[in-house]
Amino acid sequence: MKKLILTLMLAMAFTATFAWPEPKFDPNRYNAELQQFITREAALSPQEAAKFFPMYREMQQKQRALFQQMHRYKRIKPTDEKSCREMIKKCDDLDVQIKELQQLYHNKFLKFLPAGKVYDILKAEDKFHRQMFSPQLRGRGKSRR
């Protein structure tokens, strides 16, 4: 009987250690890590970073509003052909708006940063997102190798 109770207690303790919920997404931490990553990867000086990141955050905020609008459209399944066409057109228009917004801000960045650094920033941002959201790199899932 004592062995059974001890075994159950050990099993419960073992299960409890692996049952911790995954930490929730913290946008402030995410943004801080993104900023550090971009600064390091693109070799931004403190002066360049001070000019770049306020404008970058402004661009992200505008992009986020467009992404949220697109997300709302994609959650609704239109009931007829006409509504489907309209939904497709709205989503396409939002895609174009996002690209135009990126182009506008990239041109603003190029006014005070060399093109090579803007290129490095874009590559660093993409690399950060791939690393952050890749299950293999976050320790989840099995490796594909």
Side-chain angles (χ1 to χ4, degrees):
M1 185 68 171
K2 287 181 181 180
K3 285 183 180 181
L4 179 62
I5 292 173
L6 181 61
T7 304
L8 286 174
M9 288 179 67
L10 285 173
M12 288 173 41
F14 182 75
T15 304
T17 59
F18 291 102
W20 290 105
E22 185 175 318
K24 293 194 180 214
F25 178 75
D26 180 2
N28 293 328
R29 181 175 174 219
Y30 173 84
N31 287 329
E33 288 178 9
L34 174 62
Q35 185 171 331
Q36 289 174 350
F37 189 83
I38 288 174
T39 300
R40 185 178 60 250
E41 291 286 314
L44 294 178
S45 71
Q47 296 81 13
E48 291 170 332
K51 279 183 158 183
F52 171 74
F53 283 107
M55 197 175 291
Y56 179 76
R57 283 189 292 275
E58 181 180 296
M59 178 186 74
Q60 282 185 314
Q61 191 174 24
K62 291 177 181 180
Q63 281 180 320
R64 195 172 303 116
L66 294 171
F67 283 129
Q68 287 172 347
Q69 194 174 350
M70 186 182 295
H71 182 69
R72 281 193 299 271
Y73 287 143
K74 289 183 176 183
R75 292 181 71 200
I76 301 167
K77 170 72 169 137
T79 57
D80 60 1
E81 285 296 310
K82 183 180 177 190
S83 298
C84 285
R85 284 182 195 279
E86 289 174 8
M87 192 70 66
I88 291 168
K89 183 172 176 6
K90 286 178 182 179
C91 287
D92 287 347
D93 288 344
L94 285 169
D95 272 335
V96 170
Q97 287 178 38
I98 290 167
K99 281 300 182 188
E100 287 173 346
L101 182 69
Q102 288 174 342
Q103 186 177 34
L104 173 73
Y105 276 88
H106 293 168
N107 287 330
K108 286 182 179 185
F109 301 154
L110 287 167
K111 288 180 182 176
F112 61 89
L113 288 173
K117 287 211 177 187
V118 174
Y119 180 82
D120 290 342
I121 288 167
L122 298 176
K123 296 298 269 184
E125 180 184 30
D126 184 54
K127 184 178 178 181
F128 180 82
H129 289 124
R130 278 187 280 114
Q131 286 180 359
M132 186 63 123
F133 297 109
S134 170
Q136 287 78 22
L137 294 174
R138 291 177 62 202
R140 290 191 215 141
K142 296 179 181 173
S143 177
R144 292 182 184 175
R145 294 180 193 180

